[in-house]
Amino acid sequence: MIATVTANPSVDRTLEVDALVPGEVLRARGWATDPGGKGVNVSRALHRNGLDTTALLPLGGAPGRELAALLAEHGVPCERVDVAAPTRSNVTLTDAAGTTTKVNMPGAPLTPGETAALLDAAEALLASGPRWLVAAGSLPEGAPDDLYALLARAAARYGVPVAVDTSGPALRAAVEGGGVDLLKPNEAELAELVGEELSTVGDAVAAARRALAPGNGAVLLTLGRHGALLVDQGGAAWAGGPALAPRSSVGAGDCALAGYLAASGPPHERLAAAVAWGRAAAALPGSTVPGPGDVHPEQVHVVPDPAPELLIKEL
């Protein structure tokens, strides 16, 4: 079983329009409501592909009840921590060209007691011996910046590998705390972490190695339509595929992480699976997660030790 913790879950509402025109009345030609949040998306993708998973999340108010019902509708096992503030809702607008505009609410604040309850529930999941613990997503108001670093330390006590997918102060705290088996930033998040623009493969690999320095295991750096880089103590590899016309980018990185965790075998095979799952998600509407028939690993190729002078935008 792969357990996920999402501190700031959401009800994700997606509207498809022909063109996004500010100031105009737009008519949706398609819409969907899905359970959301990075860890939730990882669990949804794993479950749809036949893997055991449990999603742990704080839920509050009518939106929290709606999110629990949506997870049940999708068949995703859920452990909930009841909180006072209502769960947030996010809105995504996707136009015919595949351009995605996302409006995220800040999220329901957590009290110190609710944060402690979330950590206690995570520890109970760890005691059950999951194959991985995924700590993912933004942190709501009131949660400490080192929440995911605390989860990584708890996972280490139980011998459970941990993957962290977050940004900003939460990512910095997790990196500096060390002991994270897999960090999954995107290009912008890693650039913010190191305070430098990442233009070339060499820039990205150097930044990833700085993130590994405090004692972390590997960096899976997702690059959107440019594929992904995997950097660990053994070296670096890039994987990508032919040009893809995305329908929605929402959740593609989360599905890439799910693909990496679902795969077995050496690191380059996990990297290939990550890219295949991420590409499949980008080809689907809204925050739909791919199933086995959507994933095409035969379209992905892996390049060990890519040339450092290559521009990321040309991969």
Side-chain angles (χ1 to χ4, degrees):
M1 187 268 287
I2 296 174
T4 66
V5 180
T6 307
N8 203 11
S10 61
V11 177
D12 280 358
R13 309 186 192 281
T14 301
L15 301 173
E16 291 186 331
V17 297
D18 290 325
L20 181 58
V21 184
E24 296 294 330
V25 175
L26 308 178
R27 300 193 182 278
R29 53 183 172 82
W31 57 89
T33 302
D34 294 303
K38 282 184 172 294
V40 170
N41 291 336
V42 171
S43 280
R44 288 173 56 212
L46 291 169
H47 175 77
R48 189 163 181 213
N49 286 272
L51 286 93
D52 290 336
T53 184
T54 298
L56 170 63
L57 59 167
L59 295 174
R65 292 190 292 274
E66 182 180 11
L67 179 49
L70 287 167
L71 283 170
E73 181 181 316
H74 285 265
V76 178
C78 169
E79 294 285 341
R80 61 182 295 165
V81 173
D82 291 320
V83 299
T87 299
R88 64 179 177 157
S89 293
N90 295 332
V91 177
T92 299
L93 295 172
T94 303
D95 66 19
T99 303
T100 299
T101 302
K102 203 163 191 285
V103 182
N104 286 351
M105 292 178 62
L110 293 182
T111 67
E114 291 165 348
T115 300
L118 184 64
L119 288 169
D120 288 344
E123 186 129 1
L125 270 179
L126 287 167
S128 70
R131 184 156 63 91
W132 278 89
L133 177 74
V134 178
S138 61
L139 297 180
E141 180 185 343
D145 289 346
D146 65 348
L147 178 62
Y148 293 155
L150 292 172
L151 286 172
R153 289 199 286 274
R157 292 197 297 272
Y158 289 89
V160 175
V162 63
V164 173
D165 182 2
T166 188
S167 59
L171 176 59
R172 182 171 301 280
V175 167
E176 293 176 350
V180 177
D181 297 275
L182 181 68
L183 296 159
K184 207 249 25 107
N186 61 29
E187 181 183 350
E189 291 161 349
L190 185 60
E192 181 186 17
L193 176 71
V194 300
E196 296 178 7
E197 184 179 355
L198 308 181
S199 299
T200 68
V201 168
D203 296 337
V205 171
R209 295 209 178 282
R210 287 171 62 180
L212 296 180
N216 301 303
V219 172
L220 174 63
L221 177 64
T222 50
L223 302 169
R225 63 189 178 91
H226 303 296
L229 277 166
L230 179 66
V231 182
D232 59 18
Q233 303 305 330
W238 172 82
L244 175 72
R247 189 166 176 184
S248 173
S249 62
V250 178
D254 309 328
C255 292
L257 175 55
Y260 182 93
L261 300 179
S264 58
H268 73 273
E269 292 183 8
R270 290 178 173 269
L271 173 61
V275 171
W277 285 44
R279 285 171 56 85
L284 296 170
S287 55
T288 305
V289 298
D294 303 311
V295 179
H296 299 288
E298 72 281 358
Q299 296 179 355
V300 176
H301 60 279
V302 178
V303 178
D305 299 317
E309 67 273 13
L310 287 173
L311 295 176
I312 289 174
K313 66 182 180 180
E314 294 179 355
L315 287 171

